[in-house]
Amino acid sequence: MKKIFYIFIIISFTIPLLSQILVPKVFNDISNTFFASSEHFNYIYKKELSNDIEKIIKISEGVYDTLKKLMKTEPPNKINLLITDQSDLPNGFSTPILNPTVNIYLANPDPSFISKHENWIEYVLIHELTHTFHLTKTKPKILSKTLNSCLYLPAVAQPMYFLEGYTVYNESTIKSGRLRDTNFEAILRTLYLENKKAPLDRAVSYYDSEYPYGTLPYLYGPYIFDKTKEISGKEIYTLSDINFCTCLPVEFLFPDIFFLIRNSYLPSTILDLVYKDVEKKTFEIMKNYDFYIKEKLINDGFEKTNPVYKENKVYFIESYFHRRQRIIVYEDGKKTELFKTLYTTKFQITDDFIIYDMIDLYDNLSYFFSIYSYNFKTKKIKKLPHTFRGFSPEIYKDTLFFIRNTQNKNFIILYSLKKESLIDSIEFPENYRLNSISTKDGKSILLSVYKDGGFTDIVLFDLENKKERFLTSDRETDFLPQWSKKFNGFYFISDRDGFNTLFFYDLDSNRIEPYLRSINNISNYSVDEENGKVYFQDITKDGDNIFYAKLKKLEDKKYEIELKEYQNYLPISKNFDYRIDHKKYILPKFSGPGTYYFLPLVVPLFDDSLSMSDILLLFPFFNINADISQSLSFLTLGIFSYTYDLNSNPSDIQYYNFSQIVFSQFKHDIFVSFDLLNEGSKTGIKKYLPDSYSISAGIFFDRLKFEHSFSFSPAISILKTDSLYSKGLYFDFLYSKTESSIRSIIPSSGYRFLSNIFLSNTNASGYDPINDLGINLKLETYKSFNWRTTFFAFFETFLTNNNNINIYNPSTNENLFFKNVKLRYNYLDEGNFVSFVSKNLNLVKIGLFNIPLHINRGIPIKLFISSPIKLSYLTLSLSHTEGYSFDQKERISVSKFNINLISDLFALGTFAPGIFISYDHIYDIPNLGLTLSLY
């Protein structure tokens, strides 16, 4: 046991070094990708975006100049600015590795996301370039010129609320951003009022599976910076500045202590002061405004959004912890599940159909909306043809209206549901962004429209005369108009109260009056005028839910509409030289490798008396992300296991490492994979060195869709051991029809089928060469009734023409699972590697996986709240494996119990230390093991 203790201590105190988030693939057609440059940027973009480059150059250089003066630093190299129109959802990212790279999506957000910005390109560039300026800063500055990003990007080790807090603070002080936004204020107010103030440690990581999903670093960070500046008087760039200590592990592990030394307050204390301000402001709001008492529609703990009332029924979208969203109908106190959906902004109900929009995935890369229909009679879902990039469906008789926004053009599309074809389209100016649509007669159309230089407003569009009229035009955000069926006017949401309120616009008097006000934040609604009710989506301490209240005019405030002409928008700018050649971007030119996740292992060597005699330094586990303008990525995952035989037989140290380089600037990804396996079956120094090496190269043909995904990969492969050399071809095929959610660690339901067909030539020591044809088939099934517990069963068979084949099968979910299943957490079944020599082998595994504890309730010791290690889940698994060879009449029978603690490192990687107990029923051997998984 002394030996176990030494290894456990070494594993527990090994220090990881972090530097970067894995960067996604951006371009899949290099032949249509172009290049331009200015003083501080290289621009990479698709040909169809060429007309936008001059405008983007002016904005980006202006933002660069502003941030340089504000942040007292600048990146050491030119910035690669990737400009893409690959999604109907807004986003962007920044990576500081070597030549820093920024990607901006040219999709404007809807009002509920970032409601107050004057120009989306400028807004997202302020955010992402703040990351670049901040994360590339070093002291002394000359170190950045060495291009050694692994050692000299110390700011990336700061807590996520530091990193995102800086960006949101800048976006909110240079322009109007989320720090002063009603949505952010509403979340803080809700957490305060409902006594569920999220602890600061949940803002250390990007990911948190409880409300507010993923937003805490963006929410807490800027408020902490703002409050710290207020009480200290320091400039913002000094609050997250770096010094010599930043490069040391001690500050990396305990950033709160150093924040206390520099600023005289702990970050958690600053957060308490922020909530004091929230309390004061909330008291003033409640004193000056009237709020309706709201009643929850259903109180079952699930999140609900997008209410639609029709004929005494309420339809809505329900989100689950362990599976995909469903559209639900609620009637007479009962819920009925209709069908699954993904991200949906709106749906409309007719007597025969539900028409809804939904994000779909194209080319495994681009996310765009399309319009779908659900037939009440047949229960079938159909994607309506010619609705690509269409959202916010609105129906009048047989005509479907929907919005289509692209980077250069914005349309209202008229569509015949009967003929399933386009009727007409109305084009709007380039600087508009249409968000929602409503009509009651097919002629007068209400739109919520964002226009550069202003904020979102309500527009009345005359379809017959093709004329528009702004009904609101001011610095408030007015959105989601819906026509009244009884009166000459419409309802809409506005934040002119300082929080979202439901208003009514009377077209006869051109006056607006508040009809429903929530202390929290209304984001969607549906009006039942006959019964005088409104069903609305409001936030709670656990996320969005649906409530209802009386529909009644409030008398506490009077509003006058003051229409204002938008001025021509002038972005942050300066005079500079630039060149637009529109050269084809053919070869990767820019950034290079940087460490993504790195964990060295120090393994002790023992002599026969169990005394430590030597130390061996291994690097079997490391995750590296390299980004050469999105063309090359390198990812490694591995598991480590120490097994102690309770019968005092020799103990084993085992590990498995899978590495893959993917060239992704092609229509289909080209990959090179490298596998390394140590079964722990040798003695001496070889006990710690790999038993086998395998290298493969091939192509991924992937198709990722809503209901299913599949991948086909032909490849060549070489396997090398001490006594065996094998080369050949193999074909991998994976088909998956599973579902899950962000809380589920493994699929909650469904199945996966995997097959591997191989043709090989093997040279073994002392034997003639052998040609072999074989196939490996595997079927996995999962079933879960909640997010905590999943039952699983695997069946696997190995078939071969050879007299015997050495089957190396570390019990881990397949490599393609990590590539194709878009989950934050993945399950690894560590330890007890199966090595079996047989002509044919069949395996059956059944088990139970349970999460008894979801660890996110805060760290009680305030000095360690911002530590990079964030405990996420405690998991238990119990499984039994049976294997049998019909040819050689040999059997495998192993039972195993696992306990794992799954933890995040700033959400850049996940590691899972654990312990397992197993029992080999054939050889009557019990084993106790320690495991460490990285992915």
Side-chain angles (χ1 to χ4, degrees):
M1 297 300 294
K2 181 179 178 182
K3 190 174 180 179
I4 296 177
F5 174 77
Y6 281 134
I7 295 181
F8 182 78
I9 292 298
I10 291 169
I11 292 174
S12 300
F13 288 92
T14 305
I15 298 175
L17 305 174
L18 293 173
S19 105
Q20 191 43 239
I21 301 169
L22 184 63
V23 179
K25 170 181 169 183
V26 174
F27 297 117
N28 66 348
D29 182 10
I30 196 67
S31 64
N32 189 38
T33 304
F34 286 73
F35 167 80
S37 66
S38 64
E39 180 182 357
H40 298 109
F41 295 90
N42 298 309
Y43 305 88
I44 304 98
Y45 53 92
K46 291 295 183 68
K47 183 179 180 181
E48 55 266 26
L49 300 179
S50 298
N51 294 333
D52 299 301
I53 295 304
E54 183 173 355
K55 175 178 67 175
I56 293 174
I57 289 177
K58 291 179 180 179
I59 295 176
S60 58
E61 285 288 350
V63 171
Y64 187 102
D65 189 50
T66 299
L67 291 178
K68 179 181 177 181
K69 294 176 182 177
L70 185 67
M71 300 177 68
K72 311 300 183 187
T73 186
E74 63 180 317
N77 313 90
K78 268 192 174 185
I79 300 170
N80 305 319
L81 184 54
L82 313 178
I83 305 157
T84 57
D85 185 24
Q86 67 189 52
S87 173
D88 283 332
L89 300 178
N91 212 333
F93 67 77
S94 175
T95 168
I97 298 174
L98 300 185
N99 292 77
T101 299
V102 168
N103 179 205
I104 58 171
Y105 294 13
L106 298 183
N108 273 258
D110 65 75
S112 63
F113 176 42
I114 302 174
S115 59
K116 292 184 179 296
H117 66 276
E118 294 177 343
N119 181 281
W120 169 247
I121 294 174
E122 180 179 85
Y123 187 98
V124 71
L125 277 174
I126 291 173
H127 182 102
E128 301 302 342
L129 289 178
T130 295
H131 277 313
T132 302
F133 278 67
H134 179 204
L135 298 179
T136 56
K137 189 174 184 179
T138 60
K139 287 185 178 181
K141 190 173 181 179
I142 193 173
L143 294 179
S144 65
K145 299 298 183 182
T146 66
L147 301 184
N148 192 334
S149 63
C150 174
L151 297 179
Y152 302 120
L153 286 180
V156 298
Q158 293 175 333
M160 285 302 140
Y161 63 81
F162 271 53
L163 305 188
E164 297 300 346
Y166 205 166
T167 60
V168 177
Y169 184 89
N170 277 350
E171 79 188 30
S172 305
T173 51
I174 298 175
K175 291 292 181 179
S176 298
R178 286 171 282 181
L179 177 60
R180 313 302 178 195
D181 182 62
T182 55
N183 295 318
F184 267 29
E185 289 184 357
I187 294 173
L188 285 177
R189 186 167 57 246
T190 300
L191 295 177
Y192 160 70
L193 286 171
E194 300 192 9
N195 197 28
K196 194 180 180 181
K197 294 185 287 187
L200 184 59
D201 78 293
R202 285 172 54 185
V204 172
S205 164
Y206 275 125
Y207 297 93
D208 196 293
S209 56
E210 290 192 352
Y211 182 81
Y213 304 106
T215 63
L216 275 182
Y218 303 84
L219 178 67
Y220 279 177
Y223 282 102
I224 288 174
F225 276 123
D226 192 42
K227 194 64 180 177
T228 306
K229 181 183 177 183
E230 176 188 325
I231 62 180
S232 68
K234 296 180 180 179
E235 291 298 321
I236 185 66
Y237 73 89
T238 65
L239 298 182
S240 62
D241 204 2
I242 61 171
N243 54 31
F244 174 75
C245 292
T246 309
C247 300
L248 301 178
V250 63
E251 180 166 354
F252 165 67
L253 289 173
F254 310 112
D256 296 286
I257 297 175
F258 288 84
F259 189 92
L260 175 65
I261 294 172
R262 295 174 186 171
N263 302 293
S264 303
Y265 291 91
L266 286 169
S268 55
T269 304
I270 300 293
L271 183 61
D272 291 337
L273 296 177
V274 169
Y275 271 110
K276 287 288 185 183
D277 292 343
V278 172
E279 180 182 10
K280 181 179 178 180
K281 189 171 183 179
T282 301
F283 177 77
E284 291 296 322
I285 289 173
M286 298 180 72
K287 184 172 64 174
N288 295 322
Y289 291 91
D290 291 333
F291 298 96
Y292 266 124
I293 297 175
K294 59 186 181 181
E295 295 188 55
K296 190 176 291 186
L297 186 67
I298 307 171
N299 191 14
D300 58 7
F302 295 118
E303 188 184 25
K304 301 172 181 62
T305 57
N306 293 45
V308 176
Y309 173 83
K310 183 177 175 62
E311 298 176 352
N312 296 317
K313 299 178 183 178
V314 180
Y315 299 79
F316 54 86
I317 297 174
E318 188 162 84
S319 299
Y320 302 86
F321 302 144
H322 62 295
R323 56 180 184 171
R324 295 192 181 104
Q325 296 176 336
R326 263 71 167 171
I327 289 186
I328 306 291
V329 58
Y330 181 75
E331 182 182 18
D332 297 329
K334 295 182 179 180
K335 293 193 309 181
T336 303
E337 183 179 298
L338 297 179
F339 57 91
K340 303 173 189 175
T341 185
L342 285 178
Y343 184 78
T344 295
T345 68
K346 181 182 177 182
F347 57 93
Q348 286 259 287
I349 318 276
T350 71
D351 293 336
D352 300 315
F353 298 96
I354 295 180
I355 306 294
Y356 63 103
D357 59 19
M358 187 175 75
I359 281 287
D360 205 350
L361 177 61
Y362 295 85
D363 301 323
N364 299 338
L365 177 66
S366 304
Y367 292 83
F368 296 113
F369 282 105
S370 290
I371 310 294
Y372 292 78
S373 68
Y374 170 79
N375 190 307
F376 281 112
K377 294 180 181 179
T378 65
K379 313 296 184 186
K380 291 184 178 180
I381 294 173
K382 181 178 181 179
K383 183 177 180 179
L384 299 183
H386 315 298
T387 61
F388 175 69
R389 299 201 79 167
F391 70 100
S392 190
E394 179 77 4
I395 303 169
Y396 178 73
K397 295 182 178 179
D398 179 56
T399 302
L400 169 67
F401 300 82
F402 63 84
I403 294 169
R404 176 177 290 153
N405 287 335
T406 64
Q407 170 52 25
N408 298 314
K409 296 181 179 180
N410 310 282
F411 300 94
I412 294 177
I413 306 294
L414 281 67
Y415 184 93
S416 172
L417 288 171
K418 185 176 182 180
K419 297 179 180 179
E420 293 189 344
S421 61
L422 303 182
I423 301 173
D424 196 4
S425 64
I426 299 100
E427 183 174 351
F428 285 79
E430 178 184 340
N431 65 328
Y432 282 33
R433 277 297 179 272
L434 314 181
N435 290 315
S436 66
I437 185 170
S438 176
T439 185
K440 65 176 179 179
D441 58 9
K443 298 177 182 179
S444 298
I445 299 175
L446 289 171
L447 300 167
S448 56
V449 177
Y450 163 81
K451 184 180 179 183
D452 279 356
F455 299 115
T456 301
D457 291 296
I458 308 298
V459 173
L460 179 62
F461 186 80
D462 184 340
L463 188 60
E464 291 182 336
N465 299 311
K466 303 293 191 295
K467 290 185 178 179
E468 66 182 57
R469 177 162 68 99
F470 275 83
L471 300 178
T472 67
S473 180
D474 50 28
R475 301 287 289 184
E476 315 301 338
T477 301
D478 307 315
F479 63 101
L480 211 59
Q482 293 182 16
W483 282 106
S484 168
K485 295 180 180 179
K486 296 177 64 175
F487 308 105
N488 185 28
F490 59 89
Y491 304 92
F492 69 100
I493 298 175
S494 176
D495 69 345
R496 61 188 64 240
D497 275 343
F499 33 84
N500 288 352
T501 298
L502 181 66
F503 285 86
F504 182 78
Y505 192 116
D506 189 331
L507 286 171
D508 293 327
S509 63
N510 284 329
R511 293 176 60 88
I512 65 170
E513 295 173 315
Y515 266 68
L516 178 71
R517 184 181 293 121
S518 166
I519 188 65
N520 304 100
N521 205 56
I522 300 172
S523 54
N524 210 319
Y525 66 97
S526 184
V527 177
D528 173 13
E529 289 183 318
E530 292 183 1
N531 298 308
K533 284 185 178 181
V534 57
Y535 297 89
F536 59 98
Q537 176 183 322
D538 202 2
I539 62 172
T540 74
K541 62 181 180 180
D542 300 311
D544 291 303
N545 215 318
I546 295 174
F547 300 83
Y548 64 91
K550 291 181 180 180
L551 184 65
K552 183 180 178 181
K553 182 170 60 177
L554 301 175
E555 302 293 344
D556 58 339
K557 294 289 181 181
K558 301 295 182 183
Y559 295 88
E560 298 291 337
I561 291 293
E562 181 182 357
L563 296 179
K564 298 180 180 179
E565 289 293 328
Y566 287 130
Q567 302 297 319
N568 291 329
Y569 175 69
L570 297 175
I572 299 171
S573 61
K574 67 170 188 173
N575 295 323
F576 54 88
D577 296 324
Y578 62 92
R579 183 179 76 255
I580 305 178
D581 296 332
H582 295 310
K583 293 181 179 179
K584 277 199 171 184
Y585 178 72
I586 299 175
L587 296 176
K589 299 180 180 180
F590 305 117
S591 56
T595 301
Y596 163 63
Y597 187 99
F598 178 63
L599 181 61
L601 288 178
V602 181
V603 180
L605 304 183
F606 299 89
D607 59 24
D608 295 336
S609 63
L610 294 183
S611 298
M612 188 181 298
S613 60
D614 202 353
I615 293 178
L616 177 64
L617 186 64
L618 293 180
F619 299 93
F621 313 109
F622 55 95
N623 285 358
I624 293 181
N625 166 49
D627 160 45
I628 303 181
S629 297
Q630 318 313 304
S631 70
L632 175 68
S633 62
F634 177 21
L635 178 65
T636 298
L637 59 93
I639 61 176
F640 170 88
S641 172
Y642 172 76
T643 305
Y644 183 77
D645 187 341
L646 298 180
N647 286 344
S648 300
N649 291 324
S651 303
D652 291 339
I653 291 179
Q654 306 164 306
Y655 55 83
Y656 170 71
N657 180 235
F658 167 78
S659 304
Q660 189 170 83
I661 302 173
V662 181
F663 300 90
S664 54
Q665 279 189 326
F666 302 93
K667 187 173 183 180
H668 300 289
D669 294 345
I670 297 175
F671 69 88
V672 176
S673 300
F674 179 75
D675 288 76
L676 177 151
L677 174 67
N678 181 324
E679 291 186 282
S681 58
K682 298 182 180 179
T683 58
I685 190 65
K686 290 186 178 181
K687 180 172 185 173
Y688 304 93
L689 301 179
D691 293 319
S692 66
Y693 309 84
S694 176
I695 186 168
S696 306
I699 300 177
F700 284 123
F701 297 92
D702 292 333
R703 181 179 174 86
L704 307 178
K705 288 298 179 182
F706 168 52
E707 290 285 353
H708 63 267
S709 66
F710 69 80
S711 175
F712 175 66
S713 305
I716 59 174
S717 183
I718 297 174
L719 171 69
K720 179 70 171 67
T721 69
D722 291 344
S723 60
L724 188 71
Y725 173 76
S726 180
K727 60 183 182 295
L729 303 173
Y730 72 84
F731 302 89
D732 277 343
F733 176 79
L734 165 66
Y735 177 81
S736 178
K737 190 173 183 180
T738 61
E739 64 171 307
S740 193
S741 76
I742 57 172
R743 284 198 183 186
S744 300
I745 297 182
I746 61 177
S748 61
S749 64
Y751 63 90
R752 290 204 305 264
F753 172 77
L754 306 98
S755 68
N756 171 260
I757 303 173
F758 63 91
L759 176 66
S760 67
N761 177 268
T762 302
N763 289 280
S765 301
Y767 295 91
D768 294 331
I770 300 173
N771 294 320
D772 187 25
L773 174 64
I775 184 170
N776 170 213
L777 303 174
K778 186 170 185 180
L779 179 65
E780 307 174 2
T781 62
Y782 303 90
K783 184 62 178 177
S784 177
F785 299 100
N786 55 55
W787 73 276
R788 290 183 180 273
T789 304
T790 298
F791 299 90
F792 57 86
F794 301 162
F795 170 76
E796 188 166 14
T797 183
F798 298 86
L799 305 174
T800 172
N801 280 339
N802 197 352
N803 287 329
N804 61 73
I805 181 170
N806 205 2
I807 300 165
Y808 295 103
N809 180 35
S811 300
T812 176
N813 285 343
E814 286 64 25
N815 301 327
L816 290 178
F817 173 67
F818 289 91
K819 177 178 172 56
N820 289 330
V821 180
K822 303 300 182 184
L823 298 177
R824 175 67 193 96
Y825 304 104
N826 298 297
Y827 166 61
L828 284 176
D829 187 2
E830 308 91 339
N832 275 21
F833 297 95
V834 177
S835 178
F836 196 78
V837 178
S838 173
K839 183 175 182 181
N840 295 298
L841 178 65
N842 301 279
L843 290 172
V844 175
K845 179 179 179 179
I846 58 173
L848 171 68
F849 181 81
N850 180 258
I851 305 171
L853 187 59
H854 184 195
I855 308 169
N856 64 353
R857 295 292 181 257
I859 299 174
I861 304 175
K862 291 188 175 183
L863 290 176
F864 306 114
I865 284 178
S866 300
S867 174
I869 300 177
K870 181 178 184 294
L871 306 180
S872 299
Y873 297 99
L874 181 68
T875 68
L876 306 177
S877 65
L878 180 65
S879 64
H880 180 77
T881 302
E882 285 289 333
Y884 190 73
S885 169
F886 291 101
D887 296 280
Q888 297 176 245
K889 305 296 188 295
E890 293 191 33
R891 181 183 165 211
I892 295 174
S893 182
V894 177
S895 299
K896 184 169 59 170
F897 174 71
N898 287 73
I899 301 177
N900 288 85
L901 182 63
I902 297 180
S903 305
D904 292 335
L905 295 176
F906 285 149
L908 302 180
T910 299
F911 73 101
I915 186 171
F916 70 87
I917 301 173
S918 68
Y919 186 79
D920 191 322
H921 299 278
I922 304 300
Y923 296 99
D924 194 25
I925 298 176
N927 281 307
L928 172 67
L930 301 174
T931 66
L932 183 65
S933 307
L934 305 176
Y935 42 95

